[in-house]
Amino acid sequence: MAFWARQISIWYLSVKTSSVANSIQQLRKTHRTWMQLHELSVLSFLCTDNHFLQHGLKTYRSVSLGSRLQSTNSSNGQILSEETNLLSPVNHYQQQAEVKPSSDTKTLYEVWEDTPPSSALEEISEEEAVQIVAEPPLPLGSFTLQDYVDRSETLSRLVLLGVDLSKVEKRPNAGQFLLRLDFEKDIRKRLLFLKDVGVEDNQLGPILTQNPYILAVDMEALETRVAYLKSKKFGKEAVARMVSRAPFLLSFSVERLDNRLGFFQKELGLSVQKTRDLVVSLPRLLTGSLEPIKENWQVCQVELGFRRNEMQHIVSKIPKILTANKRKLIETFDYLHNVMGIPHHILTNFPQVFNSKLLRVKERHMFLTFLGRAQYDPAQPSYISLDKLVSMPDEVFCTEIAKASVKDFEKFLKTL
């Protein structure tokens, strides 16, 4: 058993030694092969014809074949000389490298020397600099129309007219719509139409800002709607005022405009002339929602206690009461009627008090009460009208109504 163990260990050491020697020999062969290929690549830059390329490939094949043959022979114990396989082709191509460059190669070198490479830092003349045109690229996508103004003639002209693009782009699809328009074909004729209606130049921009969609309305439809308003006895100045103060007016069809006018005549019981005066005074009544109008009309009659004829008078004087905030309307009436003791018929004669700030009414009424001058009955002496109570500035109110100084009024306000 000991004999066989010694034989196996001797055999293992011999195999290990042989593999290490073979590995060292293989590394030496690989290094020499790469050195020969490097010499061939250097010689390729010195040669002018394709002769070297053809023989270089042959040499590379012979080197690779020689390496494989050596690997095969070394396994059988037969090692061939590498110098015999590699030195002869190298010496051959060293002789080929001594060939002089051709005339074409010299010409190519001269061209390279005459035209130096261009640089971004190279200085140019003023004439060349003026000829350079660097236009900003059109943004592929943006959240604001401002990025397109410099490249869009339509948007740049609209800005000059006074259109606020920051407000226009907040409206649904308005920005994409304007970018597709041509100013000369789509916009100019509509602007001229608005000027013929009577709209002032400084109102064109605000109209298009609030209602850019009017540029999509057909010209025939615009002319038909203006003709309808004129047929209802609205004068040119009235039409211009309505279009300027209610830009969406001309976006409404004739049928819708007729229904709105009929609503104010039937539901509110207004005459034709009062209906006309009402919508000229507040044109947005024709374009806004009818729900708050109906609600305020019912609140004034049911909760506030105004009669129908009183409401007709109030609406003709201050149309805004139809679109006022219902809560503020009720609070103002409650203070005027229940705290100050002003009856309905006086409120009907002076409805402007509903347009005033409630805080101002409270401050002045309490100051007059403090002075003992709060008298709102026309039949009593020292009567103070509601119109003067809310419309006069503080200086006039103190000297003419309260018969006091402004400092006294300011000191009183600090006690509240």
Side-chain angles (χ1 to χ4, degrees):
M1 181 64 69
F3 172 76
W4 288 109
R6 285 195 300 272
Q7 292 297 327
I8 292 173
S9 62
I10 293 172
W11 175 77
Y12 175 78
L13 290 175
S14 63
V15 171
K16 186 175 181 180
T17 305
S18 177
S19 61
V20 170
N22 291 336
S23 299
I24 295 173
Q25 185 178 3
Q26 186 67 27
L27 287 174
R28 289 177 179 175
K29 290 188 290 182
T30 303
H31 174 70
R32 291 171 182 171
T33 303
W34 279 110
M35 290 297 296
Q36 296 298 330
L37 291 176
H38 175 68
E39 292 180 1
L40 293 177
S41 63
V42 172
L43 291 175
S44 65
F45 289 101
L46 302 177
C47 198
T48 59
D49 53 12
N50 295 330
H51 182 69
F52 172 79
L53 205 50
Q54 297 174 0
H55 287 277
L57 292 175
K58 293 179 180 180
T59 304
Y60 176 75
R61 294 192 187 99
S62 63
V63 170
S64 300
L65 181 59
S67 299
R68 288 194 297 269
L69 289 175
Q70 281 188 346
S71 175
T72 304
N73 295 334
S74 62
S75 61
N76 297 329
Q78 299 178 359
I79 301 174
L80 299 179
S81 175
E82 296 179 6
E83 288 79 2
T84 306
N85 293 333
L86 295 177
L87 291 179
S88 57
V90 171
N91 293 334
H92 171 72
Y93 290 113
Q94 286 178 347
Q95 296 176 0
Q96 293 289 340
E98 296 177 359
V99 180
K100 295 183 179 180
S102 62
S103 60
D104 295 338
T105 305
K106 292 182 179 179
T107 305
L108 182 60
Y109 288 160
E110 292 176 357
V111 172
W112 286 350
E113 293 176 357
D114 294 340
T115 58
S118 59
S119 174
L121 302 178
E122 182 180 357
E123 295 184 1
I124 59 175
S125 62
E126 294 184 1
E127 292 78 5
E128 294 175 341
V130 171
Q131 295 177 358
I132 297 177
V133 179
E135 297 182 356
L138 190 65
L140 299 178
S142 176
F143 293 100
T144 176
L145 290 175
Q146 186 178 359
D147 296 336
Y148 296 90
V149 172
D150 295 337
R151 299 294 302 272
S152 173
E153 181 182 2
T154 299
L155 294 183
S156 60
R157 290 196 179 187
L158 290 177
V159 170
L160 294 177
L161 283 174
V163 178
D164 190 346
L165 297 180
S166 63
K167 295 181 179 179
V168 172
E169 63 191 14
K170 295 179 181 179
R171 301 187 179 276
N173 302 321
Q176 296 87 339
F177 167 69
L178 290 181
L179 287 173
R180 291 193 297 266
L181 295 181
D182 183 86
F183 189 87
E184 296 296 333
K185 297 179 180 179
D186 304 320
I187 300 178
R188 178 182 290 275
K189 53 185 177 182
R190 288 171 175 79
L191 295 178
L192 295 176
F193 171 78
L194 292 176
K195 288 179 62 66
D196 292 339
V197 170
V199 177
E200 299 292 336
D201 292 344
N202 58 356
Q203 292 296 321
L204 294 175
I207 289 175
L208 296 181
T209 298
Q210 296 185 49
N211 182 23
Y213 310 107
I214 194 175
L215 300 175
V217 181
D218 185 68
M219 286 296 301
E220 185 178 355
L222 294 175
E223 295 171 354
T224 303
R225 293 162 191 176
V226 171
Y228 168 78
L229 294 175
K230 292 181 178 179
S231 68
K232 295 299 180 178
K233 307 302 179 181
F234 289 97
K236 184 175 182 179
E237 294 182 0
V239 173
R241 175 186 173 89
M242 294 167 64
V243 172
S244 300
R245 299 184 63 181
F248 283 92
L249 181 66
L250 295 182
S251 295
F252 280 44
S253 64
V254 172
E255 293 77 10
R256 192 171 183 181
L257 292 174
D258 190 67
N259 292 335
R260 288 298 179 93
L261 293 175
F263 168 81
F264 293 111
Q265 290 184 18
K266 296 177 182 179
E267 298 296 328
L268 277 61
L270 300 177
S271 63
V272 175
Q273 183 60 43
K274 287 187 176 181
T275 301
R276 189 182 300 116
D277 295 339
L278 177 68
V279 296
V280 171
S281 177
L282 193 63
R284 70 167 184 261
L285 291 174
L286 292 176
T287 60
S289 175
L290 291 178
E291 294 304 320
I293 298 175
K294 294 178 181 179
E295 187 175 8
N296 284 0
W297 182 259
Q298 293 296 324
V299 166
C300 289
Q301 294 186 85
V302 177
E303 298 186 29
L304 307 186
F306 287 100
R307 293 191 296 269
R308 184 178 178 85
N309 61 336
E310 291 176 338
M311 279 303 304
Q312 291 174 351
H313 180 76
I314 292 174
V315 167
S316 63
K317 292 291 184 178
I318 50 167
K320 287 184 178 180
I321 197 172
L322 294 174
T323 58
N325 182 275
K326 184 179 69 172
R327 180 181 59 82
K328 293 182 179 180
L329 181 62
I330 294 175
E331 289 179 355
T332 302
F333 173 81
D334 180 68
Y335 191 83
L336 293 171
H337 183 67
N338 299 323
V339 177
M340 297 175 63
I342 302 175
H344 285 81
H345 70 277
I346 295 180
L347 293 175
T348 302
N349 293 328
F350 299 98
Q352 295 83 357
V353 71
F354 289 102
N355 285 337
S356 303
K357 293 182 178 180
L358 181 57
L359 179 61
R360 189 176 194 181
V361 175
K362 288 182 177 181
E363 292 175 346
R364 293 189 176 188
H365 169 68
M366 287 187 288
F367 184 60
L368 292 175
T369 302
F370 174 75
L371 298 175
R373 302 183 61 84
Q375 183 55 256
Y376 308 108
D377 187 358
Q380 300 296 327
S382 302
Y383 161 71
I384 300 175
S385 68
L386 294 180
D387 185 25
K388 292 181 179 180
L389 178 68
V390 298
S391 62
M392 289 183 174
D394 289 341
E395 294 80 6
V396 179
F397 166 76
C398 291
T399 56
E400 296 186 6
I401 304 300
K403 305 300 181 181
S405 65
V406 177
K407 291 184 179 180
D408 293 337
F409 182 54
E410 292 176 351
K411 289 180 181 179
F412 173 79
L413 294 179
K414 292 179 181 179
T415 64
L416 300 179

